[in-house]
Amino acid sequence: MFRACGLALLLVASIGNYVYASDAKTPAVDAPSKPQKSTQANAGAEPFVGPASEAKKLYRRYKRAHDKTVVAIACVRDPKCIEPEDEVLRHSKEALNILNKLDALAAEGDIQANYYRGLIAYERGRYYDAQAEIITHPDFILTATVYRRYAKEQFLIAEKYLSVPAKAMNPFACRYMGDIYSSTILGSPRKDKATNYYYTAAIGFLDQGNKVDGAKMYTAMKENANPADSRIVQVYAKLHNEEPIASWRKLPNDVVQKSPSKKSQEH
């Protein structure tokens, strides 16, 4: 049993050397990302309008390579596995090559490439932080510390890349930036900065007619700022106040009350 565990840890470390070389030059454990609490977009919601860009295609390819790596790791851990161990490295190398392409596009100023590269790092950071939280046995405290270090490295990368689309007022990027600054992964939460990003995200979502995500950003703002904060009040008003009827729209005649004529008023 101990030999099997040792083999699994060795393989995981090897994957980290390949997949994260372009991030922080530090080996890390790649693993399936888990759904986040309330920060995931609604099904069908897209951060960018139009056909899939090259950056989004690369993101999808990365996810597929990542999933294949996870399956390969699970197979190696199984004594009945007949797949060769180099499958793990093959898929992880493919994921690394995709990250390098996203990095190159991002360096050229491609906003979508910055978004998807930052999203990958954000998802990793969340995963590592969650793994650290579930480790409570004193014999594995060092493992939890390593996970937290990986989480911090990934959040710093996410901050770097997501700041580009966030400056362009992309609500999805602003939401993730708010998550980064409201968490404790990078240290003490910067709540006012997080609230600013959540506010920008909320306004962006509501302008798109997306009240579900707008309401989530409103809740996130309340968790980081005083409920009487003017930004929270403004988002609340935008959430609950319906727009008035357009002034150019003519009302039916039976609705409009004709004012009495001047002659009838004299009598």
Side-chain angles (χ1 to χ4, degrees), residues 44-70:
E46 291 292 339
F48 300 98
V49 179
S53 64
E54 179 65 18
K56 184 170 184 178
K57 291 175 183 177
L58 288 171
Y59 174 73
R60 290 172 174 171
R61 285 176 54 197
Y62 168 82
K63 298 291 279 185
R64 289 195 292 270
H66 173 273
D67 291 343
K68 289 178 181 178
T69 304
V70 173

Side-chain angles (χ1 to χ4, degrees), residues 242-263:
E242 297 294 334
E243 292 293 329
I245 298 174
S247 58
W248 50 264
R249 189 172 180 181
K250 188 176 180 181
L251 294 174
N253 291 331
D254 58 343
V255 174
V256 179
Q257 293 183 355
K258 295 182 178 179
S259 58
S261 63
K262 186 175 182 182
K263 185 178 289 186

Side-chain angles (χ1 to χ4, degrees), residues 199-220:
Y199 168 77
T200 304
I203 296 299
F205 284 132
L206 293 175
D207 286 345
Q208 294 173 359
N210 184 351
K211 284 197 170 184
V212 174
D213 281 323
K216 289 179 180 178
M217 296 302 94
Y218 169 74
T219 301

